[in-house]
Amino acid sequence: MSAIEAIPVTVTRKAGNGCVDAPVLKERGQREVFCGLTGIIWLHRKIQDAFFLIVGSRTCAHLMQSAAGVMIFAEPRFGTAIIDERDLAGISDANAELDRVVAQLLARRPDIRLLFLVGSCPSEVIKLDLSRAAARLGQSFAPKVRVLNYSGSGIETTFTQGEDACLASMVPSLPPELPSSAASLLVVGALADVVEDQFRRLFSALGIGPVTFLPPRSAMRLPPVGPNTRYLLAQPFLADTARALEERGAVRLAAPFPLGVEGTTAWLQAAAQAWNIDPAHFEAVTAAGRERATRATAHYRQQLAGKRIFFFPDSQLELPLARFLSREMDMSLVEVGTPFLHRQHLAEELALLPEGTVLSEGQHVENQLDRCREANPDLVVCGLGLANPLEAEGMTTKWSIELVFTPIQGYDQAGDLAELFARPLVRRMRLVA
Ligand code: SF4
């Protein structure tokens, strides 16, 4: 049997329902997560003619500057309009000030075609009605510049929900599909351009199309949407965007997320089944990718197999990552925490998790730290705020935010994905040796 034949095309479930009906520990308490403004760091790279104007405080400006400091060397595609105590004097003044800042920005940057006003959590900002401001400014600068708004406030969002809020704000302005349109596929969720190109080639080779992506690379190429749109989520944190697309008639193709060989295959297969693609053709088109990914991950499986991993809730990527690490890397799952568990969007992932996995939703950071210390796992996946103290206690950690910044989806990134988990373990071994 060749290496390619040895890789199953279909997702094989062990007997039972995985974790579909598993109890979930619901926790409410202090959280340790970044706010939704963080999403701007990857979104501004994706939509190249957009600009993200944060309406916020100096704290927001500092967060963005330190998190994305590298941008000071380039013409940035985000900035902060700082609303401070002085502006509390009168809301009309704050609105006039915002209009002035936007007019100045658009005069200086004629390349901007889509402007997001991004709300934050200071009380001064909450008092401003940004949706009205977006409508007012949208009228002033139409048709050249579209103005949308969403909230990245830490009160309402964790860091990946900023992307959800951003994409959901775009959905009402997507053009309708033509009445005679054949079925089209919309891939939803920001992917690195290199990953997007790989998927585009695979869909084309499979005979699936037309294929569009949300977010698009340019605001001038917004994907059409309507009842003939079938959409695949590329990220697990897009509940509001999915709801908005379904209100426009689009239909979700249920699938696990495209992480690892198995997840990528099942994700592609969901589209292939909707397009009635011959299974033999699917096998032929995906064989080389599956083989490359299996070879690339084999080396890391040796380092990861048998190791015990603990996930703090942070990115909402936790369940798909846990599925990949347990089924393809033979890791043992101690606890899988997630900020929110969307049972419908994650049904296929839950079914693939080993029965008995401890799942938790929400956060009570002190309780979870106690459980983590008691379990003493080999590797902890957590936010930046927890990583340093845990490292100081002798634990090995992986920053969950890195998994959002790094291209990890698809066959050709499966090796990089495995390496992200193997690297801290190898580093710790070297330190100990
Ligand atoms: S939006 Fe709120 S949580 Fe985020 S940086 Fe600004 S003040 Fe901090």
Side-chain angles (χ1 to χ4, degrees):
M1 189 184 272
S2 74
I4 297 174
E5 285 164 341
I7 306 161
V9 165
T10 46
V11 176
T12 47
R13 287 180 191 168
K14 291 180 185 145
N17 237 353
C19 286
V20 170
D21 305 314
V24 177
L25 176 63
K26 306 233 181 209
E27 293 207 298
R28 296 290 172 269
Q30 196 192 328
R31 298 185 302 160
E32 279 283 337
V33 288
F34 278 133
C35 66
L37 295 187
T38 325
I40 295 170
I41 297 167
W42 61 93
L43 286 167
H44 85 271
R45 292 197 194 121
K46 189 70 209 176
I47 318 172
Q48 288 160 13
D49 47 8
F51 192 97
F52 295 81
L53 184 65
I54 300 159
V55 184
S57 64
R58 288 197 162 73
T59 313
C60 309
H62 287 149
L63 168 88
M64 291 308 293
Q65 232 161 37
S66 50
V70 67
M71 283 306 293
I72 57 173
F73 297 111
E75 183 77 290
R77 287 200 289 267
F78 62 84
T80 309
I82 293 171
I83 307 285
D84 56 28
E85 297 287 323
R86 197 172 40 90
D87 299 312
L88 278 175
I91 291 297
S92 59
D93 291 346
N95 276 312
E97 178 66 5
L98 184 61
D99 289 8
R100 189 188 64 76
V101 169
V102 167
Q104 203 178 39
L105 170 72
L106 295 179
R108 203 167 54 82
R109 296 285 299 274
D111 54 310
I112 296 171
R113 293 304 171 92
L114 174 59
L115 175 68
F116 289 102
L117 303 179
V118 188
S120 58
C121 48
S123 55
E124 307 85 278
V125 175
I126 292 171
K127 286 182 198 144
L128 267 176
D129 186 341
L130 284 187
S131 63
R132 277 179 114 176
R136 181 178 70 241
L137 288 160
Q139 268 181 1
S140 306
F141 294 98
K144 194 175 166 232
V145 184
R146 200 185 300 264
V147 185
L148 300 175
N149 77 288
Y150 71 90
S151 172
S153 153
I155 299 167
E156 296 161 68
T157 56
T158 59
F159 80 98
T160 49
Q161 282 178 295
E163 174 174 334
D164 189 21
C166 172
L167 299 191
S169 79
M170 293 177 79
V171 173
S173 53
L174 301 182
E177 58 190 14
L178 296 174
S180 57
S181 296
S184 65
L185 179 65
L186 177 64
V187 177
V188 184
L191 293 167
D193 288 353
V194 61
V195 177
E196 193 177 298
D197 291 341
Q198 288 164 9
F199 284 146
R200 210 183 274 282
R201 284 196 293 273
L202 276 168
F203 286 127
S204 163
L206 286 166
I208 294 169
V211 181
T212 50
F213 290 80
L214 181 70
R217 293 186 198 186
S218 164
M220 305 301 286
R221 289 200 301 271
L222 295 178
V225 66
N228 290 323
T229 305
R230 300 291 171 267
Y231 75 93
L232 265 177
L233 290 177
Q235 303 285 6
F237 42 75
L238 299 173
D240 289 349
T241 309
R243 200 175 310 117
L245 286 167
E246 284 168 20
E247 278 165 14
R248 300 276 314 262
V251 177
R252 183 175 66 93
L253 300 177
F257 291 87
L259 300 177
V261 184
E262 190 178 48
T264 304
T265 304
W267 188 78
L268 293 168
Q269 207 164 35
Q273 279 163 359
W275 260 256
N276 284 322
I277 303 299
D278 178 9
H281 182 56
F282 183 85
E283 156 85 33
V285 169
T286 57
R290 284 181 286 122
E291 194 203 358
R292 276 197 308 278
T294 304
R295 253 193 285 118
T297 50
H299 168 64
Y300 300 110
R301 188 184 307 114
Q302 290 170 16
Q303 295 170 345
L304 294 172
K307 297 282 192 298
R308 300 165 65 249
I309 186 163
F310 190 108
F311 285 88
F312 277 81
D314 204 45
S315 65
Q316 293 191 55
L317 281 165
E318 292 85 4
L319 266 73
L321 291 169
R323 179 263 304 158
F324 164 71
L325 293 168
S326 78
R327 291 176 61 97
E328 297 187 40
M329 296 294 108
D330 297 330
M331 289 189 86
S332 164
L333 307 175
V334 178
E335 177 171 330
V336 183
T338 181
F340 302 103
L341 179 54
H342 194 300
R343 283 204 171 263
Q344 213 182 351
H345 291 175
L346 287 155
E348 287 67 29
E349 296 288 353
L350 285 166
L352 293 169
L353 283 174
E355 271 179 47
T357 303
V358 175
L359 300 172
S360 64
E361 182 187 16
Q363 190 166 40
H364 184 304
V365 73
E366 293 301 335
N367 288 354
Q368 205 175 21
L369 278 168
D370 288 346
R371 294 199 297 277
C372 182
R373 288 184 184 118
E374 196 183 328
N376 194 23
D378 298 295
L379 186 60
V380 179
V381 182
C382 59
L384 287 168
L386 291 176
N388 279 352
L390 289 175
E391 287 275 342
E393 290 180 27
M395 294 206 197
T396 307
T397 62
K398 171 89 248 152
W399 294 347
S400 51
I401 202 163
E402 232 184 305
L403 296 152
V404 182
F405 288 161
T406 314
I408 53 171
Q409 295 82 4
Y411 293 130
D412 291 302
Q413 284 63 240
D416 296 341
L417 174 60
E419 201 219 344
L420 282 172
F421 293 92
R423 204 187 300 154
L425 288 169
V426 171
R427 189 193 61 215
R428 172 71 64 176
M429 265 165 18
R430 289 210 183 107
L431 284 174
V432 170

